[in-house]
Amino acid sequence: MDKMFAEQMERELEGIASLSERQMEQFYQYYEMLVEWNQVMNLTAITEMTEVVTKHFVDSLSLKKAVSDLEDKPRKIMDVGTGAGFPGIPLKIAFPRLEITLLDSLNKRIRFLDAVIEKLELKCIKAVHGRAEDYGRDGKYREQYDLCVSRAVANLSTLSEYCLPFVKTGGYFIPYKSGKVEEELAAASGAVKKLGSEVERTEDFLLPNGDERTLVVIRKNKVLEKRYPRKAGLPGKDPLK
């Protein structure tokens, strides 16, 4: 394992997560697989080691800033639009008690995620192929999760309709956002309310490289109406107001 990798991880994760030697090795294997597989499929535009650490690994684990007791008890987490496995796989490596489902609409990404899960010998984590609108109507997944997270690039109204169907009453949806979110929050307030939820607070912070990030903490207050999520494609084309 690269010494600079381990030193950067330790430095930038101070106060967020303390990793064992085995966990550090898992993160390094994940980094190597990401770069290797990225040569044959489009997983990420970020492949330089120091950037992967900060913009993928540290960013993913920053959920701890919004959920301080993240590792204190087992939680079921859904990661919608996980792509190359962010934030779900870093969360699983650092906080092994979490039970995680990774959802993505591209099957080639699922092949990559399955390979990472096998190589890193991760347990209680699975990758599933499909659209959030379809899985959100499936009784095996609908309202079964304590927490739903997403780093997917979509407006908050659309993301809320994708993600809140997975969350139990009393659970949370926490999207990862870049930069300022005030306008987006205002535009999504009607959608969040229609989906039986409320924005409880936001957690603003800077990544070690100075990039602005916001975690939006949305609480699910009641069972979702059966009409949500609407059929595939609609949440993106015609976001709830």
Side-chain angles (χ1 to χ4, degrees):
M1 182 172 56
D2 190 291
K3 186 183 175 188
M4 286 178 64
F5 175 88
E7 288 175 350
Q8 184 187 354
M9 286 283 284
E10 279 185 19
R11 185 173 65 250
E12 296 191 1
L13 285 174
E14 189 175 350
I16 296 173
S18 179
L19 304 178
S20 67
E21 196 174 319
R22 170 66 178 145
Q23 288 168 312
M24 192 71 81
E25 188 61 51
Q26 287 174 312
F27 270 110
Y28 193 68
Q29 288 178 315
Y30 183 20
Y31 160 69
E32 288 185 313
M33 290 184 75
L34 182 69
V35 173
E36 180 189 343
W37 283 62
N38 201 59
Q39 293 172 1
V40 292
M41 65 171 71
N42 183 25
L43 290 169
T44 177
I46 299 166
T47 56
E48 201 271 314
M49 188 179 75
T50 59
E51 288 205 321
V52 170
V53 168
T54 302
K55 295 183 178 181
H56 283 328
F57 295 167
V58 177
D59 184 49
S60 292
L61 296 180
S62 296
L63 181 67
K64 184 80 171 353
K65 294 177 184 291
V67 188
S68 60
D69 63 345
L70 192 57
E71 77 270 49
D72 294 351
K73 57 184 176 182
R75 280 187 171 88
K76 281 187 73 176
I77 297 183
M78 168 63 82
D79 177 5
V80 171
T82 188
F86 304 116
I89 288 179
L91 288 170
K92 181 63 193 179
I93 295 171
F95 309 118
R97 295 180 73 188
L98 300 177
E99 183 181 335
I100 294 180
T101 302
L102 308 168
L103 176 63
D104 200 85
S105 60
L106 275 184
N107 202 41
K108 63 181 182 180
R109 290 190 195 131
I110 300 299
R111 291 201 306 276
F112 168 71
L113 298 170
D114 283 339
V116 172
I117 289 166
E118 183 178 357
K119 174 84 172 176
L120 273 51
E121 299 179 335
L122 300 174
K123 309 299 180 198
C124 296
I125 180 171
K126 64 180 177 180
V128 292
H129 171 237
R131 298 185 68 133
E133 302 98 317
D134 298 326
Y135 273 88
R137 289 184 167 278
D138 184 332
K140 286 190 297 185
Y141 296 90
R142 185 180 178 90
E143 300 190 323
Q144 296 299 309
Y145 293 85
D146 304 296
L147 188 59
C148 182
V149 293
S150 183
R151 288 208 325 168
V153 180
N155 72 72
L156 190 53
S157 296
T158 299
L159 263 186
S160 294
E161 190 171 356
Y162 288 157
C163 294
L164 281 164
F166 295 107
V167 180
K168 295 175 181 176
T169 302
Y172 288 88
F173 163 44
I174 305 182
Y176 292 57
K177 289 288 179 182
S178 301
K180 304 286 187 225
V181 296
E182 287 81 3
E183 285 183 23
E184 195 175 348
L185 278 175
S189 61
V192 170
K193 192 172 181 181
K194 282 178 181 173
L195 296 164
S197 305
E198 65 178 333
V199 176
E200 197 170 86
R201 61 190 167 88
T202 59
E203 198 71 48
D204 305 308
F205 62 97
L206 297 177
L207 287 178
N209 66 352
D211 287 356
E212 292 182 332
R213 289 287 188 271
T214 300
L215 296 167
V216 184
V217 181
I218 300 173
R219 188 179 195 277
K220 177 93 163 271
N221 290 326
K222 57 186 180 183
V223 173
L224 196 63
E225 292 180 37
K226 282 192 168 60
R227 58 180 155 157
Y228 301 122
R230 293 169 295 164
K231 66 181 182 181
L234 262 182
K237 288 178 192 161
D238 182 25
L240 291 173
K241 300 287 193 295

PDB file of all heavy atoms in Angstrom, residues 97-109:
ATOM      1  N   ARG A  97     -20.821  -2.202  10.642  1.00  0.00           N
ATOM      2  CA  ARG A  97     -22.126  -2.649  11.168  1.00  0.00           C
ATOM      3  C   ARG A  97     -23.283  -2.226  10.266  1.00  0.00           C
ATOM      4  O   ARG A  97     -24.399  -2.729  10.414  1.00  0.00           O
ATOM      5  CB  ARG A  97     -22.345  -2.106  12.577  1.00  0.00           C
ATOM      6  CG  ARG A  97     -21.368  -2.636  13.602  1.00  0.00           C
ATOM      7  CD  ARG A  97     -21.641  -2.066  14.983  1.00  0.00           C
ATOM      8  NE  ARG A  97     -22.836  -2.640  15.587  1.00  0.00           N
ATOM      9  CZ  ARG A  97     -23.375  -2.201  16.716  1.00  0.00           C
ATOM     10  NH1 ARG A  97     -22.843  -1.171  17.341  1.00  0.00           N
ATOM     11  NH2 ARG A  97     -24.453  -2.779  17.216  1.00  0.00           N
ATOM     12  N   LEU A  98     -23.031  -1.291   9.366  1.00  0.00           N
ATOM     13  CA  LEU A  98     -24.099  -0.834   8.472  1.00  0.00           C
ATOM     14  C   LEU A  98     -24.469  -1.933   7.484  1.00  0.00           C
ATOM     15  O   LEU A  98     -23.614  -2.664   6.982  1.00  0.00           O
ATOM     16  CB  LEU A  98     -23.650   0.417   7.707  1.00  0.00           C
ATOM     17  CG  LEU A  98     -23.262   1.645   8.541  1.00  0.00           C
ATOM     18  CD1 LEU A  98     -22.763   2.760   7.632  1.00  0.00           C
ATOM     19  CD2 LEU A  98     -24.436   2.129   9.385  1.00  0.00           C
ATOM     20  N   GLU A  99     -25.768  -2.029   7.181  1.00  0.00           N
ATOM     21  CA  GLU A  99     -26.261  -2.951   6.149  1.00  0.00           C
ATOM     22  C   GLU A  99     -26.668  -2.097   4.952  1.00  0.00           C
ATOM     23  O   GLU A  99     -27.552  -1.245   5.068  1.00  0.00           O
ATOM     24  CB  GLU A  99     -27.462  -3.731   6.678  1.00  0.00           C
ATOM     25  CG  GLU A  99     -28.003  -4.755   5.709  1.00  0.00           C
ATOM     26  CD  GLU A  99     -29.215  -5.503   6.249  1.00  0.00           C
ATOM     27  OE1 GLU A  99     -29.365  -5.589   7.490  1.00  0.00           O
ATOM     28  OE2 GLU A  99     -30.015  -5.970   5.426  1.00  0.00           O
ATOM     29  N   ILE A 100     -26.016  -2.306   3.814  1.00  0.00           N
ATOM     30  CA  ILE A 100     -26.131  -1.342   2.713  1.00  0.00           C
ATOM     31  C   ILE A 100     -26.608  -1.996   1.419  1.00  0.00           C
ATOM     32  O   ILE A 100     -26.161  -3.078   1.041  1.00  0.00           O
ATOM     33  CB  ILE A 100     -24.787  -0.620   2.499  1.00  0.00           C
ATOM     34  CG1 ILE A 100     -24.471   0.241   3.734  1.00  0.00           C
ATOM     35  CG2 ILE A 100     -24.818   0.250   1.241  1.00  0.00           C
ATOM     36  CD1 ILE A 100     -23.170   1.013   3.676  1.00  0.00           C
ATOM     37  N   THR A 101     -27.534  -1.298   0.747  1.00  0.00           N
ATOM     38  CA  THR A 101     -27.960  -1.661  -0.610  1.00  0.00           C
ATOM     39  C   THR A 101     -27.495  -0.558  -1.556  1.00  0.00           C
ATOM     40  O   THR A 101     -27.757   0.622  -1.323  1.00  0.00           O
ATOM     41  CB  THR A 101     -29.494  -1.794  -0.700  1.00  0.00           C
ATOM     42  OG1 THR A 101     -29.941  -2.772   0.241  1.00  0.00           O
ATOM     43  CG2 THR A 101     -29.919  -2.210  -2.102  1.00  0.00           C
ATOM     44  N   LEU A 102     -26.799  -0.958  -2.608  1.00  0.00           N
ATOM     45  CA  LEU A 102     -26.315  -0.026  -3.637  1.00  0.00           C
ATOM     46  C   LEU A 102     -27.215  -0.171  -4.861  1.00  0.00           C
ATOM     47  O   LEU A 102     -27.322  -1.255  -5.426  1.00  0.00           O
ATOM     48  CB  LEU A 102     -24.871  -0.359  -4.025  1.00  0.00           C
ATOM     49  CG  LEU A 102     -23.841  -0.491  -2.901  1.00  0.00           C
ATOM     50  CD1 LEU A 102     -22.555  -1.109  -3.431  1.00  0.00           C
ATOM     51  CD2 LEU A 102     -23.555   0.876  -2.279  1.00  0.00           C
ATOM     52  N   LEU A 103     -27.859   0.912  -5.272  1.00  0.00           N
ATOM     53  CA  LEU A 103     -28.781   0.867  -6.406  1.00  0.00           C
ATOM     54  C   LEU A 103     -28.243   1.712  -7.557  1.00  0.00           C
ATOM     55  O   LEU A 103     -27.892   2.882  -7.368  1.00  0.00           O
ATOM     56  CB  LEU A 103     -30.158   1.397  -5.985  1.00  0.00           C
ATOM     57  CG  LEU A 103     -31.230   1.514  -7.076  1.00  0.00           C
ATOM     58  CD1 LEU A 103     -31.579   0.154  -7.664  1.00  0.00           C
ATOM     59  CD2 LEU A 103     -32.497   2.179  -6.513  1.00  0.00           C
ATOM     60  N   ASP A 104     -28.168   1.108  -8.740  1.00  0.00           N
ATOM     61  CA  ASP A 104     -27.743   1.868  -9.920  1.00  0.00           C
ATOM     62  C   ASP A 104     -28.462   1.337 -11.157  1.00  0.00           C
ATOM     63  O   ASP A 104     -28.780   0.152 -11.241  1.00  0.00           O
ATOM     64  CB  ASP A 104     -26.227   1.787 -10.121  1.00  0.00           C
ATOM     65  CG  ASP A 104     -25.720   2.933 -10.996  1.00  0.00           C
ATOM     66  OD1 ASP A 104     -25.462   4.025 -10.448  1.00  0.00           O
ATOM     67  OD2 ASP A 104     -25.611   2.736 -12.216  1.00  0.00           O
ATOM     68  N   SER A 105     -28.688   2.225 -12.117  1.00  0.00           N
ATOM     69  CA  SER A 105     -29.462   1.864 -13.309  1.00  0.00           C
ATOM     70  C   SER A 105     -28.597   1.289 -14.432  1.00  0.00           C
ATOM     71  O   SER A 105     -29.127   0.846 -15.444  1.00  0.00           O
ATOM     72  CB  SER A 105     -30.231   3.085 -13.829  1.00  0.00           C
ATOM     73  OG  SER A 105     -29.323   4.120 -14.172  1.00  0.00           O
ATOM     74  N   LEU A 106     -27.262   1.304 -14.274  1.00  0.00           N
ATOM     75  CA  LEU A 106     -26.380   0.760 -15.311  1.00  0.00           C
ATOM     76  C   LEU A 106     -25.782  -0.574 -14.862  1.00  0.00           C
ATOM     77  O   LEU A 106     -25.085  -0.634 -13.845  1.00  0.00           O
ATOM     78  CB  LEU A 106     -25.246   1.736 -15.620  1.00  0.00           C
ATOM     79  CG  LEU A 106     -25.536   2.843 -16.641  1.00  0.00           C
ATOM     80  CD1 LEU A 106     -24.277   3.660 -16.893  1.00  0.00           C
ATOM     81  CD2 LEU A 106     -26.038   2.272 -17.962  1.00  0.00           C
ATOM     82  N   ASN A 107     -26.028  -1.614 -15.637  1.00  0.00           N
ATOM     83  CA  ASN A 107     -25.605  -2.958 -15.243  1.00  0.00           C
ATOM     84  C   ASN A 107     -24.092  -3.116 -15.192  1.00  0.00           C
ATOM     85  O   ASN A 107     -23.565  -3.846 -14.351  1.00  0.00           O
ATOM     86  CB  ASN A 107     -26.214  -3.996 -16.192  1.00  0.00           C
ATOM     87  CG  ASN A 107     -26.269  -5.372 -15.544  1.00  0.00           C
ATOM     88  OD1 ASN A 107     -26.596  -5.500 -14.371  1.00  0.00           O
ATOM     89  ND2 ASN A 107     -25.925  -6.391 -16.294  1.00  0.00           N
ATOM     90  N   LYS A 108     -23.363  -2.391 -16.064  1.00  0.00           N
ATOM     91  CA  LYS A 108     -21.898  -2.535 -16.050  1.00  0.00           C
ATOM     92  C   LYS A 108     -21.317  -2.010 -14.732  1.00  0.00           C
ATOM     93  O   LYS A 108     -20.320  -2.534 -14.237  1.00  0.00           O
ATOM     94  CB  LYS A 108     -21.263  -1.829 -17.249  1.00  0.00           C
ATOM     95  CG  LYS A 108     -21.458  -0.334 -17.308  1.00  0.00           C
ATOM     96  CD  LYS A 108     -20.803   0.238 -18.565  1.00  0.00           C
ATOM     97  CE  LYS A 108     -20.946   1.763 -18.624  1.00  0.00           C
ATOM     98  NZ  LYS A 108     -20.311   2.317 -19.831  1.00  0.00           N
ATOM     99  N   ARG A 109     -21.957  -0.997 -14.160  1.00  0.00           N
ATOM    100  CA  ARG A 109     -21.495  -0.513 -12.856  1.00  0.00           C
ATOM    101  C   ARG A 109     -21.758  -1.560 -11.770  1.00  0.00           C
ATOM    102  O   ARG A 109     -20.962  -1.715 -10.850  1.00  0.00           O
ATOM    103  CB  ARG A 109     -22.193   0.803 -12.492  1.00  0.00           C
ATOM    104  CG  ARG A 109     -21.759   1.983 -13.342  1.00  0.00           C
ATOM    105  CD  ARG A 109     -22.304   3.271 -12.753  1.00  0.00           C
ATOM    106  NE  ARG A 109     -22.224   4.365 -13.704  1.00  0.00           N
ATOM    107  CZ  ARG A 109     -23.221   5.182 -14.006  1.00  0.00           C
ATOM    108  NH1 ARG A 109     -24.412   5.022 -13.441  1.00  0.00           N
ATOM    109  NH2 ARG A 109     -23.052   6.168 -14.867  1.00  0.00           N
TER     110      ARG A 109
END
